[in-house]
Amino acid sequence: MLLAHADHPGRIVRLGYGLNFGAAEDLDGILALLRATAPPLALRLGLPGAFGAGVWLPAPLALELGVPAGEAERERLLAHLLAPDLDPFTWNAFPWGGFHSPGLKARVFRPTWRAPERLAYTLAVADIAIRAHRRASAGGHVSISTHAGMHASEVRGPEDLDAAADNFVLAALHLARLEAERGVRVVLALEPEPRSAANDTGELAAFFERLLLRSRTVLAREMGRLRSAAEEIVVRHLGTCLDACHSAVEFEDPSRAVALATNAGTTLGKLQLTNALRLLWPGEHAAGRERLLAMDEPVFLHQLTARRGKSLDRAGDLPEVRAAGDRGDPRWRAAEEWRCHFHVPLDLESAGEPGDGLATTRAHAAAVLAAALAVPARWGSDELHLEIETYTWTVLPATARGTGSRLDGQERELRTALAWLAAAGWHPAPEGSLSPPPG
């Protein structure tokens, strides 16, 4: 879905829904998910142009499609992705595979970016994404999100961060070569996440400084000579994936998060419109506290941050908080607010029962979007990519799903995002109707 603004000719916003809520691991399953999601949602919304999709391909499939023996299956996928009613403008190469499998938890970060197979997977996704690209603006891009290197528990020392940085630089070099050959810019967007190697946008900004320092050494090694354009390659092809849920969990100021995500010219490759859980005064809301802790499940990480004044206490998952409470640790119940990494539908303001204190960070997501829309000059591209990423539909309790079917909920999420965009002056526009940039 393309949106334009009368005051920003040549700029566009692309809005899409991330399809990683489905557990499909093979091509037939992914095509079935596309057919069951994109056409009915597009029909419900009744908007001009193609439906925006955030595509996830598990690594085994992406790598299989990238070799000669997988050419026929790759063409079958592309036949669907290149249909005029679909716009696969953004991609997800964060989960390797088994994304909805019990026991996943922190293993979602493996392989880490120290491993060559992580680089190979990402470049395989990039190849398919370029083939499926629908150009809407000359200065636009394709976005691919990934994690910022590894889970924090995997960082044994600075050498691990250097190794990850080197592979990110190699990814940027490969993407620069692909752009030179095929004319499509791909931005690999690194996603800060609580308890990862980049816990928040501030830590990611610091990691980008490491990337820039490593870039000259890596490109000199790979190309046999020092390249003065090393930093330009990194800035053009490595960017930020700013997830509003992750930002909310770490109590980030929305405007500061956007500023850090675009620090020193870093491209805002993708903004994920996501909603987290929040519990106000957990010591006073026993029912809400128990309802939140009971949302622990065996698939996804649910990191939790508690705020007391200006201090933050952090847990890696919900069982840690329950265990601390069982031991009589007073910090958690003495907090003013808990925020939990559990993606809930974007339209929901409450996730519990009346009076139990369990709410969402919906206002934070709206504020992050508003902050990004206010500074098009900082996007680093003529396009702002927005992806709704509620991948938790299979594990959401009834109180955190909203009414009706999954499609009903996803329609409400998209309408919520469209309303926020309309309030800022961005309205749906068919392809071909966009104004060229001045000059």
Side-chain angles (χ1 to χ4, degrees):
M1 288 166 277
L2 302 182
L3 299 100
H5 195 297
D7 295 338
H8 301 292
R11 302 276 187 178
I12 66 170
V13 170
R14 290 185 189 262
L15 173 64
Y17 203 99
L19 300 179
N20 59 347
F21 66 85
E25 296 279 336
D26 60 15
L27 182 56
D28 286 337
I30 287 170
L31 295 180
L33 182 66
L34 276 168
R35 289 190 292 265
T37 304
L41 284 175
L43 183 63
R44 287 169 178 236
L45 295 170
L47 298 177
F51 182 84
V55 184
W56 173 61
L57 295 180
L61 177 60
L63 293 167
E64 175 187 332
L65 298 178
V67 299
E71 182 178 0
E73 291 289 84
R74 185 184 68 222
E75 293 305 311
R76 188 158 70 97
L77 172 62
L78 289 172
H80 285 76
L81 296 179
L82 290 168
D85 58 353
L86 192 68
D87 181 16
F89 67 91
T90 189
W91 296 68
N92 192 326
F94 187 146
W96 177 268
F99 187 45
H100 291 261
S101 301
L104 176 68
K105 295 292 185 177
R107 289 193 294 107
V108 72
F109 289 89
R110 296 179 182 171
T112 73
W113 267 95
R114 294 189 304 255
E117 54 264 37
R118 172 61 70 174
L119 175 61
Y121 164 42
T122 306
L123 295 177
V125 172
D127 177 75
I128 298 168
I130 289 172
R131 295 173 187 269
H133 178 54
R134 295 166 59 93
R135 186 180 296 277
S137 61
H141 68 286
V142 172
S143 57
I144 302 175
S145 53
T146 185
H147 58 71
M150 63 201 76
H151 190 266
S153 62
E154 301 263 11
V155 181
R156 298 161 298 190
E159 65 278 3
D160 289 323
L161 297 177
D162 284 344
D166 288 359
N167 274 333
F168 279 123
V169 174
L170 287 177
L173 176 59
H174 283 285
L175 296 177
R177 288 170 172 164
L178 284 173
E179 183 179 17
E181 295 168 2
R182 296 156 72 175
V184 178
R185 178 190 179 192
V186 176
V187 175
L188 180 60
L190 282 60
E191 183 176 346
E193 178 170 334
R195 319 311 167 252
S196 76
N199 189 72
D200 54 27
T201 52
E203 289 192 6
L204 183 65
F207 184 65
F208 266 104
E209 294 180 7
R210 183 185 295 268
L211 283 172
L212 292 174
L213 287 172
R214 300 290 301 176
S215 65
R216 289 180 174 271
T217 300
V218 172
L219 294 187
R221 182 187 71 214
E222 292 297 312
M223 306 185 72
R225 58 190 176 92
L226 186 65
R227 288 289 302 269
S228 60
E231 292 188 5
E232 294 178 15
I233 290 173
V234 168
V235 170
R236 183 164 179 80
H237 294 285
L238 298 180
T240 301
C241 172
L242 178 55
D243 186 304
C245 170
H246 300 172
S247 174
V249 169
E250 287 304 296
F251 291 89
E252 293 189 305
D253 175 78
S255 294
R256 178 170 168 75
V258 171
L260 287 169
T262 56
N263 186 49
T266 303
T267 300
L268 183 55
K270 178 195 297 192
L271 196 167
Q272 289 179 324
L273 289 176
T274 49
N275 198 5
L277 290 171
R278 64 194 294 246
L279 178 64
L280 302 175
W281 299 109
E284 299 177 10
H285 291 105
R289 186 175 69 242
E290 180 54 37
R291 185 168 284 114
L292 174 54
L293 293 175
M295 290 175 70
D296 178 41
E297 46 78 28
V299 181
F300 303 117
L301 277 177
H302 300 298
Q303 305 93 312
L304 188 144
T305 304
R307 181 175 66 183
R308 291 179 296 130
K310 295 183 178 180
S311 68
L312 299 178
D313 292 308
R314 296 180 170 93
D317 208 344
L318 287 172
E320 294 179 31
V321 181
R322 183 181 288 282
D326 291 344
R327 293 193 306 269
D329 187 334
R331 293 176 303 156
W332 299 98
R333 294 189 186 185
E336 300 163 21
E337 182 179 348
W338 290 357
R339 291 189 180 179
C340 180
H341 176 220
F342 201 129
H343 289 213
V344 294
L346 191 64
D347 58 298
L348 292 188
E349 294 183 353
S350 173
E353 301 292 346
D356 69 1
L358 190 56
T360 77
T361 61
R362 180 177 184 267
H364 182 92
V368 169
L369 175 61
L373 293 174
V375 288
R378 293 183 67 101
W379 295 352
S381 170
D382 287 343
E383 300 181 357
L384 177 63
H385 289 188
L386 304 178
E387 179 186 35
I388 299 174
E389 198 210 16
T390 308
Y391 57 77
T392 50
W393 285 99
T394 58
V395 298
L396 282 169
T399 54
R401 288 180 64 96
T403 58
S405 68
R406 172 182 56 79
L407 281 172
D408 293 333
Q410 290 171 331
E411 179 187 355
R412 289 194 299 269
E413 290 189 278
L414 286 162
R415 291 193 182 280
T416 295
L418 288 165
W420 290 346
L421 287 161
W426 293 86
H427 299 283
E431 289 189 46
S433 67
L434 302 174
S435 302

